[in-house]
Amino acid sequence: GDSVTQMEGPVTLSEEAFLTINCTYTATGYPSLFWYVQYPGEGLQLLLKATKADDKGSNKGFEATYRKETTSFHLEKGSVQVSDSAVYFCALSGQGAQKLVFGQGTRLTINP
Amino acid sequence: KAGVTQTPRYLIKTRGQQVTLSCSPISGHRSVSWYQQTPGQGLQFLFEYFSETQRNKGNFPGRFSGRQFSNSRSEMNVSTLELGDSALYLCASSWTGDQPQHFGDGTRLSIL
């Protein structure tokens, strides 16, 4: 079945550092790919998405490119802030599916 | 525009009891999905409803059930509660089930 693998956390960085969180997937066909973020005590917020190969999703300085050849959707940000501290989830939705398959989540802590 | 609303936010139950959780989707959204989030298993899909019909179901025992009303509000029921049912239960809505899904803040269920 479909699956998503994220780099294990936790990840701790200093403010203004460069961020990469790796995500790879296994799926048949052409899934849609997502990054969600979860702040303490809250639900999930959609951060960005990409629906076809070579699409780049971007939002709030975060970017991720849908790479079909490497089945990857790595999350990047050039300069992180303390307010970016949260848990980040990579997810996919298979073609015609009405459900999300999530990675295990990566906890990110940014120190001032 | 109001987001996805889940009630109650917190619940404490004992083993063997049953519980009902409620979800009000974003106005106009007709698809409602439920997910269970635990530290050990991560985020897992429970089921999805569209126009009062269950279209998709995850790999959970029959103790987990749900329904959707004509106004798209949804309820999830868990019977004969077990300690392992302690989790954050998240509801998400979308227009038709196609992504992206918008999540509520969840109901945290604790089983004593």
Side-chain angles (χ1 to χ4, degrees), chain B residues 31-50:
Chain B
S31 169
V32 174
S33 299
W34 289 88
Y35 296 83
Q36 181 195 64
Q37 185 177 20
T38 60
Q41 299 298 317
L43 281 153
Q44 295 185 285
F45 171 76
L46 281 154
F47 28 64
E48 187 260 354
Y49 286 87
F50 180 80

Side-chain angles (χ1 to χ4, degrees), chain B residues 17-31:
Chain B
Q17 288 187 309
Q18 75 167 16
V19 68
T20 300
L21 313 181
S22 179
C23 172
S24 294
I26 291 172
S27 179
H29 285 190
R30 294 169 64 191
S31 169

Side-chain angles (χ1 to χ4, degrees), chain A residues 37-54:
Chain A
V37 59
Q38 186 175 35
Y39 298 100
E42 298 184 9
L44 303 177
Q45 296 179 24
L46 177 66
L47 184 58
L48 52 85
K49 66 180 175 79
T51 57
K52 62 183 187 295
D54 299 325

Side-chain angles (χ1 to χ4, degrees), chain B residues 78-89:
Chain B
V78 188
S79 63
T80 319
L81 287 165
E82 301 177 359
L83 292 177
D85 297 333
S86 294
L88 180 66
Y89 290 89

Side-chain angles (χ1 to χ4, degrees), chain A residues 35 48 56-59 61-65 74-77:
Chain A
W35 278 99
L48 52 85
K56 177 186 281 189
S58 61
N59 186 26
F62 291 90
E63 293 183 339
T65 301
H74 304 322
L75 182 68
E76 296 182 336
K77 187 175 184 183

Side-chain angles (χ1 to χ4, degrees), chain B:
Chain B
K1 184 174 181 182
V4 177
T5 302
Q6 292 188 245
T7 57
R9 288 295 311 274
Y10 302 94
L11 265 178
I12 299 175
K13 294 286 186 179
T14 57
R15 282 182 297 173
Q17 288 187 309
Q18 75 167 16
V19 68
T20 300
L21 313 181
S22 179
C23 172
S24 294
I26 291 172
S27 179
H29 285 190
R30 294 169 64 191
S31 169
V32 174
S33 299
W34 289 88
Y35 296 83
Q36 181 195 64
Q37 185 177 20
T38 60
Q41 299 298 317
L43 281 153
Q44 295 185 285
F45 171 76
L46 281 154
F47 28 64
E48 187 260 354
Y49 286 87
F50 180 80
S51 293
E52 302 177 66
T53 300
Q54 186 183 92
R55 291 195 300 188
N56 210 339
K57 188 177 191 304
N59 189 26
F60 278 82
R63 300 184 298 106
F64 292 81
S65 63
R67 60 178 175 169
Q68 187 181 34
F69 301 95
S70 58
N71 61 359
S72 295
R73 190 178 70 86
S74 178
E75 288 182 347
M76 189 191 99
N77 185 77
V78 188
S79 63
T80 319
L81 287 165
E82 301 177 359
L83 292 177
D85 297 333
S86 294
L88 180 66
Y89 290 89
L90 292 165
C91 169
S93 74
S94 65
W95 292 104
T96 62
D98 295 334
Q99 316 313 326
Q101 296 184 351
H102 299 265
F103 283 79
D105 286 338
T107 294
R108 183 162 297 281
L109 174 63
S110 299
I111 311 302
L112 303 179

